[in-house]
Amino acid sequence: MTASIKPTAHRSAIDDIQLPTWRHVFKLDPDKEISDEALDKVCLSGTDAIIVGGSSGITFDNTVDLMARIRRYELPAVQEVSDLDAVVPGFDAYLIPMVLNTTNPDWLVGQHQRAIEQYGYMMPWDLLIPEGYLILNPDCTAAKVSEANAALSKKEAVAYAQVADKLMQLPLVYVEYSGTFGDMDTVKAIQSAVSQAFVIYGGGIKTVEQAQQAAESADVVVVGNIIYEDMAAALATVNAVKKIAKEDKV
């Protein structure tokens, strides 16, 4: 299933990283150690891209180190910006989260405004891709840091996604269940309700079956923590997601 994106100011960056073709993405956390051997397996797995980001412990030094190692491979490398001081030049694009269900406007527009006020003159605008970030696991670090109201009903979650898609016209809606496998009925409802945004799902994928369920519910599946716990299981999610994508085309 593939959402169609209307022309936006962010279309160039989206096309440059071939985001419309993404189905499976690995997310690497700069605050977690990964060996060269493990990184080689991840980057040569057939995944469509690497997202670099996390909710805590992210610094310029650990981010630039991880980016330099990823750059040895020929696949899109994207930074998801969570800390302005950790932004590293050299990524193919930068995902800019706007936490839709935060109770603190700093995480929706406040930090963004201050960043532009201070650094707007040097920002690579053509590489920035805003994403409507919807955090739906109240117990995860991201929810606590961003002060998100994550205990939402399906109807409430869908409404937030439509705000991002139809009112804000954001190109991406990222549904984040970090630390637990999410409610696929909610993810499916979100995917059905948006008309131009890509729906990205991340959170708690540890098995092939979960990866397939997520692939049936969202446009793009992000696999993260399992990389550091069970490499074989993480690698198996690539073909599982790609298989669903092929079946959708038939």
Side-chain angles (χ1 to χ4, degrees):
M1 62 185 71
T2 305
S4 60
I5 280 194
K6 297 177 182 177
T8 71
H10 317 288
R11 184 62 186 262
S12 176
I14 289 170
D15 287 342
D16 287 347
I17 60 174
Q18 300 181 327
L19 195 150
T21 69
W22 290 9
R23 295 298 173 267
H24 181 284
V25 174
F26 277 127
K27 188 172 187 177
L28 298 178
D29 188 335
D31 194 38
K32 295 181 179 179
E33 293 186 6
I34 184 168
S35 68
D36 287 342
E37 180 184 6
L39 185 63
D40 193 61
K41 291 179 179 178
V42 166
C43 292
L44 296 178
S45 64
T47 190
D48 296 311
I50 301 293
I51 294 176
V52 173
S55 299
S56 61
I58 309 301
T59 67
F60 181 90
D61 289 341
N62 60 24
T63 302
V64 75
D65 177 68
L66 181 56
M67 183 202 72
R69 296 169 67 197
I70 294 170
R71 275 306 187 197
R72 295 177 295 175
Y73 303 91
E74 294 184 0
L75 77 170
V78 177
Q79 182 178 13
E80 187 171 70
V81 178
S82 58
D83 187 331
L84 188 62
D85 292 331
V87 175
V88 172
F91 281 95
D92 294 308
Y94 298 85
L95 301 180
I96 311 299
M98 304 175 74
V99 183
L100 302 170
N101 55 325
T102 181
T103 59
N104 182 346
D106 246 19
W107 291 94
L108 183 63
V109 294
Q111 295 189 46
H112 311 68
Q113 181 272 334
R114 288 193 295 276
I116 292 171
E117 181 180 5
Q118 187 171 358
Y119 300 108
Y121 70 95
M122 60 182 292
M123 283 191 174
W125 294 105
D126 57 332
L127 299 182
L128 306 186
I129 304 174
E131 56 180 357
Y133 216 74
L134 191 57
I135 303 172
L136 297 180
N137 176 10
D139 298 321
C140 72
T141 301
K144 295 173 182 177
V145 169
S146 65
E147 301 175 52
N149 175 20
L152 302 178
S153 67
K154 178 167 67 175
K155 185 176 181 180
E156 290 170 329
V158 167
Y160 271 116
Q162 288 182 309
V163 167
D165 176 65
K166 301 182 186 300
L167 294 184
M168 301 172 75
Q169 296 190 346
L170 299 178
L172 307 179
V173 172
Y174 194 122
V175 185
E176 175 67 271
Y177 277 92
S178 180
T180 189
F181 188 63
D183 178 6
M184 290 300 108
D185 285 342
T186 295
V187 180
K188 286 181 181 178
I190 288 171
Q191 207 281 336
S192 297
V194 301
S195 57
Q196 62 91 26
F198 279 91
V199 175
I200 302 175
Y201 170 82
I205 295 177
K206 295 186 176 182
T207 67
V208 163
E209 291 74 22
Q210 289 174 332
Q212 290 174 329
Q213 289 177 49
E216 291 170 345
S217 306
D219 296 308
V220 184
V221 176
V222 177
V223 177
N225 289 339
I226 192 63
I227 295 170
Y228 306 94
E229 301 166 6
D230 187 339
M231 178 59 72
L235 296 176
T237 64
V238 178
N239 286 336
V241 169
K242 296 295 184 73
K243 180 181 178 181
I244 296 298
K246 287 181 180 179
E247 290 175 353
D248 285 343
K249 291 181 179 180
V250 176

